[in-house]
């Protein structure tokens, strides 16, 4: 059968799969069903009644848990409600409107962010929505192109921030080296109020046997004499329940005091009931790691299935490659220039909805139209096997046109 005939036959299967986002599968969510029964009492260790208002910085035991998970002092952690993305958004909005500690509001001058690409579409969407200009920075195997980053931040005082997903990045699966972390912490910036938005979304989300570690950015910044440079974000979204977990922010004491002041205007306190449930279920680092191992066992076969299908159908297609992530939620399929959009459209016609081509770039524009984000987590193993074949066929058809 020709590639076109194989694609037509695939279309006839009438698949209907949404792989546009990296969502945990139902069986992954089931791993945390104990949360539903986890509230024998609603008083926190310090006597706080979690059913009532208050506690902007989160319950002490929730802060202690995230302090252990993120390897930072509990006083430098705030635990909020369910989404780390909301914390990122708020840090940006507070910085725009009020300025970071000791500095003028960003919004008085043009504001630019550096964006390692390919990257996370929702980071870029926040910038676009809040009027922040974005500059693409290429991602290497060990992190962003640091020579370029250092040059840009040294020259341009409008660069106030940079997005960072330091581990198993979305979508490239990149793990930052110690050298890159040190350079980000120590680089000279023309803007005195420059900030790293350090999104540690995949800290525990290993796919390989080895648990890769990234150097502690808050320590690196403090050692380099830039203690206030980084805001670290994390959540239990892909540990327990996505959208119904708890989110955390870690930063220097000055940044935590600043965040707490501003967050106090936006809410009378986070969902402490959910914090209590999470503390009771997640307990400590070893318990979280054991849970993540169960996630790994569910996710790994799906990633392996995609990689095997790509190898079988695309292994000998010139100009096509893909990442082999050691963790995280994505595979980045790299096509010859100009083929990504067409491939995504063909996959959609065959019943597979992918993240729009270009989404991993600021303004939705992939200059080479060559990256497709594959999110293997949500479909079942049988579905993902078929879907990966359908994506490979779609790419082959796109290339043969
Ligand atoms: C890099 C990254 N950061 C943040 C999020 C969302 O995190 P949360 O659910 O805590 O808002 C995701 C979800 O896909 C992500 O990939």
């Amino acid at each position: 059968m020709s590639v076109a005939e194989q694609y037509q036959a695939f279309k006839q299967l009438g698949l209907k799969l949404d792989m546009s986002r990296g969502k945990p599968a139902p069986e992954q969510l089931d791993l945390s069903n104990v949360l539903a029964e986890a509230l024998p009492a609603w008083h926190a260790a310090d006597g706080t009644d979690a059913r009532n208002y208050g506690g902007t910085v989160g319950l002490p035991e929730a802060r202690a848990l995230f302090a252990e998970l993120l390897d930072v002092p509990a006083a430098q952690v705030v635990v909020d409600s369910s989404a780390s993305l909301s914390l990122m958004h708020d840090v940006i909005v507070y910085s725009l409107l009020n300025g970071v500690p000791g500095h003028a509001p960003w919004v008085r001058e043009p504001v630019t962010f550096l964006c390692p690409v390919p990257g996370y579409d929702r980071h870029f969407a926040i910038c676009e929505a809040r009027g922040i200009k974005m500059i693409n920075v290429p991602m290497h195997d060990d992190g962003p192109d640091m020579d370029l980053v250092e040059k840009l931040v040294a020259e341009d005082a409008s660069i106030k921030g940079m997005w960072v997903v330091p581990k198993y990045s979305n979508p490239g699966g990149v793990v930052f080296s110690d050298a890159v972390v040190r350079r980000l912490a120590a680089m000279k910036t023309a803007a005195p109020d420059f900030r790293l938005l350090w999104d540690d979304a995949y800290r525990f989300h290993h796919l390989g046997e080895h648990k890769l570690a990234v150097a502690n950015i808050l320590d690196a910044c403090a050692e380099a004499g830039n203690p206030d440079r980084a805001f670290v974000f994390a959540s239990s979204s892909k540990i327990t329940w996505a959208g119904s977990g708890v989110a955390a922010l870690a930063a220097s004491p000055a940044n935590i005091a600043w965040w707490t002041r501003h967050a106090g205007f936006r809410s009378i306190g986070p969902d402490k009931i959910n914090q209590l449930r999470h503390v009771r279920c997640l307990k400590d680092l070893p318990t979280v790691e054991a849970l993540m191992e169960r996630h790994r066992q569910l996710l790994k076969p799906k990633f392996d299935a995609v990689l095997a299908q790509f190898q079988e159908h695309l292994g000998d297609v010139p100009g096509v490659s893909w990442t082999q992530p050691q963790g995280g939620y994505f595979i980045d399929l790299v096509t010859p220039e100009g083929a990504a959009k067409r491939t995504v459209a063909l996959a959609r016609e065959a019943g597979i909805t992918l993240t729009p081509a270009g989404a991993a770039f600021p303004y939705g524009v992939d200059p080479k139209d060559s990256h497709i984000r594959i999110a293997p987590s949500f479909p079942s193993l049988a579905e993902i096997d078929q879907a990966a074949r359908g994506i490979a066929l779609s790419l082959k058809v796109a290339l043969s046109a």
Side-chain angles (χ1 to χ4, degrees), residues 21-23 81-88 119-123 164-165 167-171 199-202 233-238 241-248 329-330 373:
R21 307 241 46 112
K23 292 199 298 190
S81 293
S82 63
S84 61
L85 201 66
S86 306
L87 291 171
M88 298 174 218
Y120 180 36
D121 54 349
R122 290 188 185 270
H123 288 164
V164 179
V165 183
K167 190 160 164 185
Y168 309 138
S169 69
N170 174 351
D199 182 357
D200 216 351
Y202 297 108
F233 304 94
S235 80
S236 68
S237 282
K238 287 164 185 166
W241 290 342
S244 301
V246 286
Y329 262 62
F330 303 99
R373 186 177 82 167

Side-chain angles (χ1 to χ4, degrees), residues 238-367:
K238 287 164 185 166
I239 297 174
T240 57
W241 290 342
S244 301
V246 286
L249 163 72
S252 68
N255 282 336
I256 291 293
W258 170 86
W259 186 88
T260 308
R261 200 166 58 250
H262 294 296
F265 296 115
R266 162 260 215 187
S267 138
I268 317 174
D271 179 350
K272 297 180 296 301
I273 290 282
N274 205 26
Q275 291 187 9
L276 269 188
R277 293 194 301 175
H278 275 77
V279 170
R280 283 174 190 161
C281 293
L282 296 181
K283 292 188 178 73
D284 52 20
L285 179 60
T287 309
V288 169
E289 286 183 337
L291 174 57
M292 294 314 292
E293 174 58 23
R294 297 179 70 193
H295 280 284
R296 188 179 86 89
Q297 282 165 15
L298 293 169
L299 284 170
K300 178 91 168 54
K302 296 183 181 178
F303 277 76
D304 286 347
V306 174
L307 297 174
Q309 288 290 346
F310 283 0
Q311 186 55 42
E312 184 180 337
H313 297 285
L314 300 170
D316 56 0
V317 180
V320 176
S321 63
W322 53 90
T323 52
Q324 313 239 357
Q326 294 302 300
Y329 262 62
F330 303 99
I331 293 167
D332 184 21
L333 173 61
V334 186
T335 74
E337 215 167 312
K341 271 205 172 85
R342 175 96 186 105
T343 303
V344 169
L346 285 161
R348 180 182 277 274
E349 279 173 40
I352 306 162
T353 304
L354 298 171
T355 313
F361 289 76
Y363 311 105
V365 179
D366 173 357

Side-chain angles (χ1 to χ4, degrees), residues 7 50 66 75 99 115 124 147 176 229 263 272 285 300 368 388 400:
Y7 173 76
F66 272 93
C115 301
F124 306 152
D147 290 344
F176 285 25
R229 177 167 289 184
K272 297 180 296 301
L285 179 60
K300 178 91 168 54
K368 294 191 174 158
S400 65

